[in-house]
Amino acid sequence: MKRTMMSLIGVAVALAAVTGVAAVAAPDGGRDAPRGSSRLPVQRSALLCPAPTSSEVGETAYTAFAPKGAAAGADGKKGTAELRPAGTVRAAGDGAGGKGGKKGKGKGAADAAAGQTVAPRDTEPVVPLQEAGKPVIATTDKPDAPALVGSADGMFAPGWTVQQTTSVAAGAGRGLLGLSCTTPDTTFWFPGVSTATDRQDYVHLTNPDGVPAVVDLELHGKDGSLAGSAGEDISVPPHTTVPVLLSTLTTTPTTNASLHVVAREGRVGAAVQASDGKLGSDWLPPAADPAPGVVLPGIPKDATSVRLVALAPGESDADLKVQLATPTGLITPAGLESLHLKSGMTTAVDLKDLTKGEAGSLVLTPSDSDSKAPVTAALRVTRGKGAKQEMAFIPATRPVEKRATAADNRDHGSTLSLVAPEKGKDAKVKVTASAGSGGGTPVSKTYTVKGGRSLDVEPPRPQGLKGTYALTVEPEPGSGPVYAARMLARPQGGVPAFTVQPLPDDRGSVLVPAAGQDLSVLTD
């Protein structure tokens, strides 16, 4: 009897421990802490950077940063943060890391699953951090630069951010490509992809773990799942990346489509590299998890065209109210008072020169306040005219609840976009420019964004800046919801090259519920 009782107590304690670990690992779903819980910094985080470019005239900069002042792990150790090169799966007959695959039904997925795994040439760490609050940079101009897989722990884990910025001077993929390296997950949505003949879109799947991952890819067009879609059972070996050309997954060329990435086994990082014959190239990051309403922040004031691509991935149709948050308030675009999305079908709307010379952010909300149908969306934004055009993508993003970070800011060329989408709920935000990678003193500035408005600012710069610096965005307690994005503009020979990175909350802290033994489970 005594032995049985002790065993039951052991089981109860073990279950309590497992529950605590699960709570720490779960995403932070809101600002309000459950009763008895406490907010603690994460102790470990992971990031994945896809292979940057196969161009012979491309140059890539990596900038790593961890905010200063984040608490160390429970063991009090300083911690580490670094990325290491990953292996690559090359499709059969492809000599360019998956960027020359033949088109045809299912060809890309089948080749990727059965391709040759090429180990990285070296395993030296890339942009390892030595101290929080100061960025570290590294550059490469190698056309076969590998994907990177990394992790951070201790004091570097909360808010660890790596920006990958690539400049391609010429060719079909010319332009400025920017991406905040992604966190691994099991599902991703990418509205705005294309399998048309004038686009080459590759989804890069990177496995950070020591066990294989199995991934399914599904494309949705205007009539639903695309005919001939064959992206099932793609194997991604451990610590390896697999690039898949989307046009090889279907027999139906489609200009506006949505991609759903699902890891059935393991987890991966995913990002889409889109290259257009006329509009240059950029990364399309994954959109925020589908929700009844979404916000797409950071449309530049000189945008010459804006295309909205949206999808209702659930079982129900969605009716949305479309509004543009401007510096003076919310307005409804002419001729687009509402938008109807059919379940499982991608809808695209050309908004042309939506901003009319004023920067803004797109806000999509349910037409019926009781509607719970989830939606996902992204924008393709173009600057310039004629042969000197450049495109970038703005996916729906999560709000900044506690903190967000944008790395790789230079002396000029950065624009910070803030939007408080709800009327009557102003947002007060502290923006801090870190020390520079080569020197400089941090500077902070506070901005107030009126509810229902957007605000574009040239962000503060460190005093005595040398090198690059990072921006952290922190809403003050009690502020209304706020969303953020950062645009980098670096002209290339008359082309207004640019890239936009959404700034979701970095989830650098989690709510940990109070736990204790409850022996009542041992009694009848």
Side-chain angles (χ1 to χ4, degrees):
M1 182 69 177
K2 181 177 180 181
R3 184 174 299 172
T4 302
M5 180 62 73
M6 291 302 294
S7 297
L8 288 173
I9 292 174
V11 170
V13 173
L15 286 173
V18 170
T19 303
V21 171
V24 171
D28 180 5
R31 296 187 178 198
D32 297 328
R35 185 176 180 181
S37 65
S38 58
R39 183 174 290 276
L40 298 176
V42 298
Q43 296 182 23
R44 187 174 180 84
S45 56
L47 289 177
L48 308 168
C49 305
T53 180
S54 59
S55 174
E56 297 284 349
V57 290
E59 182 171 333
T60 299
Y62 298 98
T63 307
F65 177 78
K68 195 171 184 178
D75 57 6
K77 293 182 180 179
K78 179 179 179 181
T80 60
E82 62 185 27
L83 296 153
R84 291 182 182 271
T88 302
V89 172
R90 290 184 177 175
D94 182 358
K99 302 203 173 182
K102 297 179 181 179
K103 295 188 178 183
K105 183 178 179 179
K107 182 69 174 176
D111 281 354
Q116 177 187 7
T117 300
V118 180
R121 292 181 179 179
D122 62 65
T123 57
E124 290 298 313
V126 179
V127 287
L129 290 182
Q130 301 297 323
E131 62 179 295
K134 182 178 180 180
V136 174
I137 60 173
T139 61
T140 180
D141 59 2
K142 296 179 180 179
D144 60 349
L148 302 176
V149 176
S151 63
D153 57 26
M155 67 182 296
F156 296 127
W160 182 46
T161 301
V162 179
Q163 168 81 12
Q164 174 179 298
T165 309
T166 302
S167 178
V168 179
R174 62 106 176 104
L176 188 66
L177 299 83
L179 180 71
S180 292
C181 297
T182 59
T183 56
D185 208 336
T186 57
T187 183
F188 304 87
W189 284 98
F190 296 93
V193 301
S194 175
T195 64
T197 55
D198 59 348
R199 279 268 291 269
Q200 277 206 327
D201 286 15
Y202 284 86
V203 60
H204 291 246
L205 309 170
T206 307
N207 181 357
D209 299 320
V211 295
V214 178
V215 178
D216 291 341
L217 305 176
E218 185 177 52
L219 289 164
H220 295 262
K222 62 182 180 65
D223 298 319
S225 185
L226 289 182
S229 183
E232 296 182 349
D233 298 325
I234 297 175
S235 178
V236 187
H239 309 297
T240 299
T241 191
V242 175
V244 179
L245 179 61
L246 296 186
S247 60
T248 65
L249 302 180
T250 178
T251 57
T252 308
T254 303
T255 299
N256 303 298
S258 299
L259 171 67
H260 190 200
V261 177
V262 179
R264 288 192 288 108
E265 296 180 20
R267 58 177 188 161
V268 295
V272 172
Q273 190 178 51
S275 179
D276 187 283
K278 295 181 180 179
L279 303 178
S281 60
D282 206 348
W283 289 100
L284 170 57
D289 292 340
V294 297
V295 177
L296 303 95
I299 306 172
K301 63 181 181 181
D302 59 350
T304 50
S305 70
V306 178
R307 175 180 295 171
L308 169 65
V309 181
L311 174 79
E315 297 180 355
S316 303
D317 294 357
D319 288 292
L320 300 173
K321 180 166 60 175
V322 181
Q323 294 178 296
L324 181 70
T326 72
T328 56
L330 290 166
I331 63 172
T332 300
L336 192 64
E337 290 77 13
S338 63
L339 180 65
H340 180 71
L341 302 180
K342 293 183 178 181
S343 173
M345 302 180 185
T346 298
T347 297
V349 180
D350 280 320
L351 303 175
K352 300 181 180 179
D353 56 339
L354 172 71
T355 58
K356 304 294 184 183
E358 282 191 328
S361 299
L362 203 64
V363 180
L364 306 179
T365 54
S367 298
D368 181 354
S369 59
D370 294 329
S371 174
K372 302 299 181 183
V375 299
T376 184
L379 299 172
R380 190 201 70 184
V381 179
T382 304
R383 298 172 70 219
K385 295 181 179 180
K388 296 186 180 298
Q389 296 185 74
E390 166 78 333
M391 69 175 183
F393 295 94
I394 302 174
T397 189
R398 301 191 308 269
V400 184
E401 295 180 344
K402 296 296 180 182
R403 182 184 59 208
T405 301
D408 194 14
N409 299 280
R410 313 288 174 89
D411 192 30
H412 298 286
S414 293
T415 301
L416 179 64
S417 297
L418 302 169
V419 56
E422 297 185 20
K423 286 185 178 180
K425 294 186 177 181
D426 298 354
K428 199 170 185 179
V429 180
K430 184 176 79 169
V431 178
T432 300
S434 74
S437 57
T441 304
V443 172
S444 295
K445 189 172 182 179
T446 299
Y447 300 92
T448 298
V449 188
K450 296 291 186 180
R453 300 185 185 185
S454 66
L455 176 67
D456 268 32
V457 297
E458 184 177 345
R461 291 189 293 274
Q463 294 180 355
L465 170 64
K466 294 181 180 179
T468 67
Y469 68 99
L471 291 170
T472 55
V473 177
E474 299 172 283
E476 294 194 357
S479 286
V482 62
Y483 297 73
R486 188 277 314 270
M487 183 180 79
L488 294 178
R490 297 174 188 167
Q492 298 176 345
V495 176
F498 75 115
T499 182
V500 179
Q501 280 72 59
L503 304 182
D505 191 88
D506 63 18
R507 292 178 172 172
S509 62
V510 290
L511 293 175
V512 182
Q517 297 182 22
D518 182 3
L519 300 185
S520 65
V521 299
L522 305 179
T523 62
D524 292 333

